[in-house]
């Protein structure tokens, strides 16, 4: 896997050191601005990447924080290869759902497009702070928060939604919306992507291991992250059961704006899936997307996409026919692979389904996956999402990495007289054609 800070070509600089150390932030009692002194040479290239995704020892528990709050997968070489035969076969296998399209034509959908703040720190104090900062900004509609599958379903069929209930109540008390991400991937060593009951042969182990170049945390030379074994139909069925339960509880809640899933990139697998398993993985993901929209007919449902290339055309076609929105884990201004393979799908989705790119920590510091370190202005990121990606929603990571501390620039932009005064902050507010009627509240 390409190392983030090798890509950015600034590993030895003091700026890079400060960024890396502050990126470990996330503890409830810690300040994100506190940075210890350590020479850049003290961190290896692989540890640099991991530092951006690892929280301090005082970090909130798994019940309080998502596992991939500041990280996304680098595309693997095979994910960038164009395979027309596989692409066409997969596209053909996913027949559009006429029934879903007809049902959507008369459905009222909660629609509060605009800017949302994505948090990695998840304690109640951190949520209050973030909500106070945006309370008087009508174009900043609310928060995007992440919830691990294992957190939401600690035992088979037993769902724990208390944290969502708390966060939703907090957002409502500030007059804001909540957008949630259901995480089916774990980017940190030792963190599990799926509930414990799935770690059996019946579920193909529940997950497959992904290399994250992490330090050993479990007494072994190497540790790994995980991605749900969605190629197993029983894993698919359990994920559908989860989103169905979520839909029953939150579809009609006016402050529950939307639900999305992790990016599609599969990571550097310890044991690669076969081509048949990979096809099954994305066939099942398409079925999860469709089933989740059935469970949330009056709520925005979104899938973050990027790679692998052979499966994206079919997956996006299924999303468009199922009224499932298109999001993404990164807003890179000059990334060759994204501009060539991924961003054109935003054009296909424009006006048809909701579009919601996100600005992650890496995007504040570089203009492409390959670097170099050349921080764009936050106004450039906003303009790119608005004009190139046709965003209805834009999710901004609350990144406080020193010395740039980009989220402060985001807040200054939001409060600037030059920022668009409309209720979406310059983003597209048009109701998607696949929806019946868009309403602020049901």
């Amino acid at each position: 896997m390409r190392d983030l800070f090798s890509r950015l070509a600034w590993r030895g600089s003091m700026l890079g050191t400060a960024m890396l150390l502050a990126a470990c932030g996330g503890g409830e009692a810690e300040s994100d601005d506190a940075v210890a002194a350590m020479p850049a040479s003290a961190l290896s290239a692989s540890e640099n990447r991991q530092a951006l995704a690892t929280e301090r020892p005082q970090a909130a528990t798994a019940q309080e924080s998502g596992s991939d709050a500041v990280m996304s997968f680098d595309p693997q070489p095979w994910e960038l290869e164009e395979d027309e035969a596989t692409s066409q076969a997969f596209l053909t296998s996913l027949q559009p759902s006429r029934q879903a399209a007809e049902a959507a034509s008369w459905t009222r959908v909660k629609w509060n497009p605009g800017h949302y703040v994505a948090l990695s720190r998840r304690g109640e104090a951190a949520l209050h702070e973030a909500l106070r900062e945006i309370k008087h900004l009508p174009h900043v509609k609310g928060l995007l928060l992440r919830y691990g599958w294992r957190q939401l379903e600690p035992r088979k069929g037993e769902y724990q939604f208390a944290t969502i209930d708390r966060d939703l109540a907090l957002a409502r008390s500030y007059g804001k919306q909540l957008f949630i991400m259901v995480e089916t991937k774990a980017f940190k060593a030792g963190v599990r992507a799926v509930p414990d009951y799935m770690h059996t042969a019946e579920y193909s182990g529940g997950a497959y291991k992904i290399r994250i170049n992490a330090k050993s945390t479990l007494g072994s030379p190497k540790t790994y992250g995980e991605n749900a074994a969605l190629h197993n139909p029983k894993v698919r069925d359990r994920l559908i059961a989860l989103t169905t339960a979520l839909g029953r509880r939150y579809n009609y809640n006016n402050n529950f704006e939307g639900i999305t899933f992790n990016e599609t990139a599969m990571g550097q697998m310890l044991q690669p899936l076969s081509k048949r398993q990979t096809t099954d993985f994305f066939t099942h993901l398409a079925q999860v997307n469709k089933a989740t929209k059935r469970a949330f007919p009056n709520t925005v449902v979104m899938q973050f996409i990027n790679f692998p290339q052979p499966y994206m055309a079919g997956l996006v076609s299924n999303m468009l026919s199922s009224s499932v929105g298109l999001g993404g884990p990164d807003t890179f201004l000059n990334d060759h692979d994204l501009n060539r393979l991924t961003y054109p799908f935003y054009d296909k989705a424009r006006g048809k389904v909701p579009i919601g790119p996100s600005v992650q920590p890496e995007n504040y510091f570089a203009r492409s996956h390959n670097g170099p370190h050349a921080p764009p202005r936050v106004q450039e990121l906003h303009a790119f999402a608005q004009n190139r990606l046709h965003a209805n929603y834009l999710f901004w990571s609350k990144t406080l990495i020193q010395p740039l501390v980009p989220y402060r620039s985001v807040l200054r932009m939001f409060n600037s007289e030059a920022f668009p005064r409309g209720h979406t902050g310059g983003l597209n507010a048009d109701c998607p054609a696949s929806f019946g009627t868009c309403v602020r509240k049901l």
Side-chain angles (χ1 to χ4, degrees):
M1 181 183 286
R2 292 176 296 179
D3 180 85
L4 172 63
F5 294 99
S6 294
R7 297 189 311 228
L8 300 187
W10 60 304
R11 175 182 165 199
S13 71
M14 290 305 294
L15 176 60
T17 304
M19 175 180 173
L20 288 167
L21 294 170
C24 297
E28 194 55 37
E30 294 277 334
S31 166
D32 287 282
D33 296 337
V35 181
M38 181 183 292
S41 60
L43 295 178
S44 68
S46 62
E47 290 168 341
N48 282 350
R49 172 89 189 199
Q50 184 60 16
L52 189 59
T54 306
E55 296 180 332
R56 293 188 181 98
Q58 296 89 348
T61 66
Q63 291 288 331
E64 292 291 329
S65 63
S67 62
D68 70 338
V70 293
M71 194 171 179
S72 60
F73 288 139
D74 290 331
Q76 299 305 297
W78 75 270
E79 294 185 294
L80 301 176
E81 294 175 358
E82 298 189 42
D83 184 341
E84 186 59 34
T86 299
S87 180
Q88 187 58 47
F90 185 66
L91 178 63
T92 301
S93 72
L94 297 177
Q95 297 299 321
S97 173
R98 178 178 299 176
Q99 182 179 5
E102 291 174 350
S105 67
W106 52 264
T107 302
R108 287 158 54 90
V109 182
K110 290 168 286 183
W111 183 244
N112 294 279
H115 300 268
Y116 286 70
V117 178
L119 299 184
S120 58
R121 296 177 63 189
R122 289 292 311 284
E124 191 168 347
L127 292 176
H128 276 292
E129 179 185 49
L131 288 164
R132 281 195 299 268
E133 290 170 336
I134 64 173
K135 180 177 181 180
H136 300 295
L137 298 172
H139 43 280
V140 186
K141 293 299 195 296
L143 303 179
L144 168 66
L145 301 178
R146 303 158 189 260
Y147 306 84
W149 184 353
R150 188 167 180 263
Q151 170 191 353
L152 297 176
E153 189 187 9
R155 287 168 296 280
K156 185 175 181 179
E158 297 181 15
Y159 301 110
Q160 175 53 263
F161 298 155
T163 305
I164 297 179
D165 289 343
R166 181 203 70 177
D167 298 344
L168 189 57
L170 279 174
R172 182 171 58 249
S173 71
Y174 284 87
K176 298 298 181 180
Q177 303 294 104
L178 178 65
F179 214 112
I180 78 166
M181 175 179 285
V182 175
E183 295 183 305
T184 58
K185 301 179 181 181
F187 294 84
K188 296 178 185 176
V191 176
R192 309 308 295 265
V194 297
D196 290 342
Y197 75 84
M198 302 180 73
H199 298 149
T200 64
E202 180 182 3
Y203 297 97
S204 300
Y208 63 82
K209 290 184 177 181
I210 52 175
R211 300 179 190 272
I212 56 174
N213 298 318
K215 292 181 178 180
S216 174
T217 60
L218 301 177
S220 61
K222 293 182 179 178
T223 53
Y224 305 89
E226 289 187 343
N227 193 356
L230 203 54
H231 54 282
N232 184 306
K234 293 187 176 181
V235 175
R236 171 204 61 198
D237 292 346
R238 294 311 307 160
L239 185 54
I240 289 174
L242 170 63
T243 62
T244 299
L246 286 164
R248 283 197 298 265
R249 191 174 186 89
Y250 299 115
N251 176 60
Y252 295 108
N253 189 302
N254 278 319
N255 291 91
F256 190 100
E257 182 69 14
I259 177 173
T260 187
F261 298 97
N262 297 94
E263 63 182 297
T264 51
M266 303 187 77
Q268 187 180 2
M269 293 174 275
L270 180 63
Q271 294 181 334
L273 300 183
S274 68
K275 190 169 185 177
R276 173 59 184 272
Q277 288 174 319
T278 304
T279 298
D280 287 345
F281 184 103
F282 285 99
T283 299
H284 294 165
L285 179 59
Q287 293 165 356
V288 170
N289 288 164
K290 186 178 296 187
T292 303
K293 186 57 187 173
R294 286 198 299 268
F296 282 96
N298 308 99
T299 303
V300 172
V301 175
M302 193 175 290
Q303 172 68 56
F304 277 22
I305 72 156
N306 46 10
F307 310 105
Q309 188 277 338
Y311 296 95
M312 290 302 97
L315 185 65
V316 171
S317 176
N318 177 78
M319 291 159 58
L320 298 186
S321 69
S322 304
S323 302
V324 173
L326 185 154
D330 283 306
T331 302
F332 276 124
L333 302 185
N334 299 318
D335 189 84
H336 173 73
D337 296 328
L338 289 172
N339 276 304
R340 180 172 64 94
L341 300 175
T342 304
Y343 290 158
F345 288 116
Y346 288 70
D347 299 326
K348 292 181 181 296
R350 182 182 187 181
K352 300 174 183 175
V353 296
I355 295 177
S358 59
V359 178
Q360 297 210 59
E362 300 97 314
N363 308 144
Y364 292 121
F365 294 92
R367 295 167 182 261
S368 74
H369 274 117
N370 298 315
H373 167 59
R377 296 168 61 243
V378 293
Q379 290 83 356
E380 293 179 88
L381 294 167
H382 173 246
F384 186 83
Q386 176 186 17
N387 300 318
R388 172 64 189 90
L389 303 182
H390 322 300
N392 305 113
Y393 297 85
L394 186 53
F395 306 110
W396 297 87
S397 293
K398 186 176 179 180
T399 302
L400 300 173
I401 297 170
Q402 291 197 33
L404 191 61
V405 195
Y407 187 67
R408 292 178 184 170
S409 297
V410 174
L411 285 178
R412 284 195 294 271
M413 176 181 68
F414 285 159
N415 285 284
S416 168
E417 289 295 328
F419 196 68
R421 293 294 96 189
H423 68 94
T424 62
L427 303 183
N428 184 3
D430 294 343
C431 185
S434 65
F435 287 1
T437 304
C438 288
V439 294
R440 289 189 61 192
K441 296 184 182 299
L442 296 175

